[in-house]
Amino acid sequence: MTITDNRSGQSVQVPIVDGGVDASEWRKLLPGVWFYDPALMTTASTPSAITDLDGENGILRYRGYPIEQLAEHSTYLEVAYLLIHGELPTAQQYEPWVHEITYHTFIHENVRKRFLEGFHHDAHPMGMLVSAIAALSTFYPEANNISDPDNRYKQIVRLIAKMPTLAAACHRNSVGMPFVYPDNSLNFTENFLAMLWKVAEPRYAANPTLARALDVLFILHADHEQNCGTTAMRTVGSAHADPYVSTASAAAALYGPRHGGANEAVIHMLTQIGSVDRVPQFIEDVKAGRGRLQGFGHRVYKSYDPRAAIIKKTADDVFAITGKNPLLDIALAIEEVALSDDYFISRKLYPNVDFYSGLIYQAMGFPTEMFTVLFAIPRTAGWLAHWVELLEQDQKIVRPRQIYTGVGARDYVAMDGRT
Ligand code: CMC
């Protein structure tokens, strides 16, 4: 591309590489003129070799592997290894990986007793989780040595391993149940379910279909390139903050209802609608600008969200065990009406990952407040893969510019002189 500054007649040639143009070339030609791109809608903030997302064609691949194949054949821990290391593990690599994750699931007693138990009984588990992840930074002060790859790796294992334990502890605290210690004889997902649901039985045996369904959901949520949470991770990580506080910042972004909080918002919306016959009026309200259809639309996907298609199939497996979620009929009616309505078609609004995941979580017995926590557990692998990539790229600190629109210079006025 040739860009010409019409004021001076000067030109610069910028090659298009991998679908992007190097903005530093533009900066040379236009010093002091900034690209105005709120919400970074037209900005590629980094090269990345982790997740390939083609929103026009509904394609999602982790390290080149289609999400459909990973969801069908792999486990979440295999996918976490793939995201972090770049390759699927061999049997010799997988066994020590699983062992390490399994043996790092315990959390320091003070995290639970002093810290988590200090929250108010009705504290939102996402607020607790974000704080608890950040608090881990104080338990592993060596984590701030981010330049040592071995040290980084240790924190990655700790974070992936401890997320389910923290998540379960947040839940148990909010329902007034005693904390359940990790059981190293169980796999990642079964162990999480045991820490959540165990009551008085000596060993909690998760239903294998439900455990597998949750594992598939973990795979689907493990990464999604430069979304809001991952961008927070990379932004805070670019300041060379330690991985715990960086992950806490990513989880904080995920908490928002426009992001990972949407799965919770979907259930609130479906409950509020209440019955299938009220769907058309609800759709009319959305079209008139009175609220949004939660679980619909995506910044990148403009044909369909491939994760939503897999989740719909997983929902059938789960409902065969738990019985159908009564809100499912309302969701299906919404999807049917919306997908044939020009408002949604013209804006390319389709169900996203959050539209059906909440229905599954609810049928499995999770309280709605836990839904975003269930998103954060697997997304930790993705956040950390991006964190390592960022450090290996030796990226500069994220520091965008602004277009200043405030008042110009003026003199201080004493309080009694102000109007
Ligand atoms: N319901 C109704 N209208 C919508 C919706 C929706 N869910 N999403 C977008 N629109 C309309 C919007 O009003 C706008 O219309 P117009 O051009 O007439 O002003 C147009 O579609 C474009 O919307 P936008 O807000 O510019 O799109 P965006 O890319 O900034 O927002 C989004 C993406 C996901 C935040 C948005 O679609 C949304 O708020 N969806 C509901 C929340 C949700 O489901 N979020 C989960 C996203 S997937 C998982 C994740 O990211 O964690």
Side-chain angles (χ1 to χ4, degrees):
M1 286 170 58
T2 303
I3 304 142
T4 304
D5 182 348
N6 288 331
R7 298 167 305 176
S8 63
Q10 275 185 315
S11 292
V12 65
Q13 287 212 348
V14 193
I16 301 175
V17 180
D18 295 334
V21 287
D22 183 352
S24 63
E25 291 298 321
W26 301 49
R27 207 169 56 207
K28 282 183 205 154
L29 180 69
L30 301 165
V33 177
W34 306 112
F35 294 97
Y36 175 57
D37 185 19
L40 308 182
M41 290 177 67
T42 16
T43 296
S45 60
T46 182
S48 181
I50 301 169
T51 289
D52 188 8
L53 208 178
D54 175 351
E56 291 303 325
N57 296 305
I59 290 171
L60 172 62
R61 301 187 194 113
Y62 298 159
R63 304 280 191 186
Y65 294 104
I67 192 68
E68 293 80 5
Q69 292 180 23
L70 291 170
E72 191 171 347
H73 303 294
S74 71
T75 64
Y76 165 65
L77 281 192
E78 239 189 298
V79 166
Y81 185 99
L82 171 70
L83 291 169
I84 300 288
H85 293 272
E87 295 294 339
L88 283 169
T90 63
Q92 288 77 12
Q93 292 164 331
Y94 191 51
E95 191 270 325
W97 170 251
V98 172
H99 179 88
E100 278 191 293
I101 300 285
T102 307
Y103 282 81
H104 280 88
T105 46
F106 276 66
I107 51 175
H108 193 288
E109 279 295 276
N110 281 356
V111 178
R112 179 178 70 81
K113 279 199 186 139
R114 308 256 168 216
F115 191 75
L116 288 176
E117 287 182 6
F119 282 100
H120 203 249
H121 68 91
D122 59 357
H124 194 290
M126 262 316 270
M128 294 170 73
L129 184 71
V130 168
S131 320
I133 299 168
L136 288 184
S137 154
T138 65
F139 287 85
Y140 305 109
E142 77 278 13
N144 62 14
N145 180 12
I146 56 160
S147 56
D148 174 5
D150 292 339
N151 186 39
R152 289 204 295 254
Y153 187 69
K154 194 168 186 182
Q155 314 316 322
I156 288 170
V157 168
R158 279 179 173 151
L159 266 162
I160 293 175
K162 291 181 201 310
M163 284 294 282
T165 316
L166 289 178
C170 294
H171 170 67
R172 301 287 287 204
N173 195 59
S174 63
V175 291
M177 292 286 283
F179 177 72
V180 176
Y181 288 94
D183 180 343
N184 289 352
S185 69
L186 300 174
N187 74 26
F188 188 84
T189 319
E190 291 167 349
N191 183 33
F192 175 51
L193 290 173
M195 289 189 288
L196 283 166
W197 308 135
K198 189 170 178 298
V199 185
E201 62 276 49
R203 173 159 289 169
Y204 179 86
N207 178 296
T209 305
L210 298 186
R212 174 63 193 157
L214 192 58
D215 209 51
V216 170
L217 286 160
F218 282 177
I219 292 169
L220 300 182
H221 287 89
D223 194 45
H224 214 230
E225 51 117 306
Q226 311 307 320
N227 56 83
C228 184
T230 305
T231 300
M233 181 88 189
R234 293 189 83 118
T235 301
V236 177
S238 79
H240 287 182
D242 76 52
Y244 297 99
V245 291
S246 301
T247 302
S249 74
L254 190 74
Y255 188 7
R258 283 173 161 184
H259 193 6
N263 49 20
E264 191 179 333
V266 168
I267 297 297
H268 291 310
M269 174 188 78
L270 296 176
T271 309
Q272 198 187 338
I273 295 171
S275 60
V276 170
D277 58 303
R278 293 177 62 183
V279 167
Q281 183 57 51
F282 182 78
I283 296 283
E284 287 312 312
D285 288 346
V286 168
K287 286 163 61 178
R290 292 187 287 275
R292 283 201 164 193
L293 195 42
Q294 298 301 330
F296 260 67
H298 198 275
R299 174 64 58 78
V300 185
Y301 291 122
K302 297 300 169 198
S303 57
Y304 70 98
D305 182 339
R307 301 168 300 174
I310 301 168
I311 286 186
K312 224 173 153 182
K313 154 87 183 62
T314 308
D316 292 338
D317 300 341
V318 169
F319 296 156
I321 309 272
T322 61
K324 195 174 81 177
N325 188 323
L327 296 176
L328 176 68
D329 288 339
I330 302 174
L332 289 170
I334 289 177
E335 186 179 352
E336 194 183 328
V337 176
L339 294 187
S340 57
D341 189 304
D342 189 55
Y343 175 95
F344 297 92
I345 295 169
S346 62
R347 289 170 179 76
K348 300 185 175 176
L349 301 172
Y350 299 90
N352 59 48
V353 69
D354 291 316
F355 193 63
Y356 285 105
S357 61
L359 290 173
I360 301 181
Y361 296 145
Q362 196 179 47
M364 288 173 79
F366 291 103
T368 42
E369 297 79 26
M370 280 295 285
F371 292 0
T372 313
V373 172
L374 296 170
F375 195 152
I377 292 171
R379 184 53 62 87
T380 301
W383 290 328
L384 291 165
H386 284 273
W387 177 67
V388 172
E389 185 175 66
L390 164 95
L391 295 177
E392 287 178 351
Q393 288 165 340
D394 197 19
Q395 206 207 309
K396 284 182 183 292
I397 188 168
V398 174
R399 203 322 184 171
R401 308 301 285 249
Q402 64 168 9
I403 309 289
Y404 178 67
T405 58
V407 295
R410 50 181 169 170
D411 289 324
Y412 180 80
V413 180
M415 202 174 281
D416 59 3
R418 294 174 205 163
T419 54

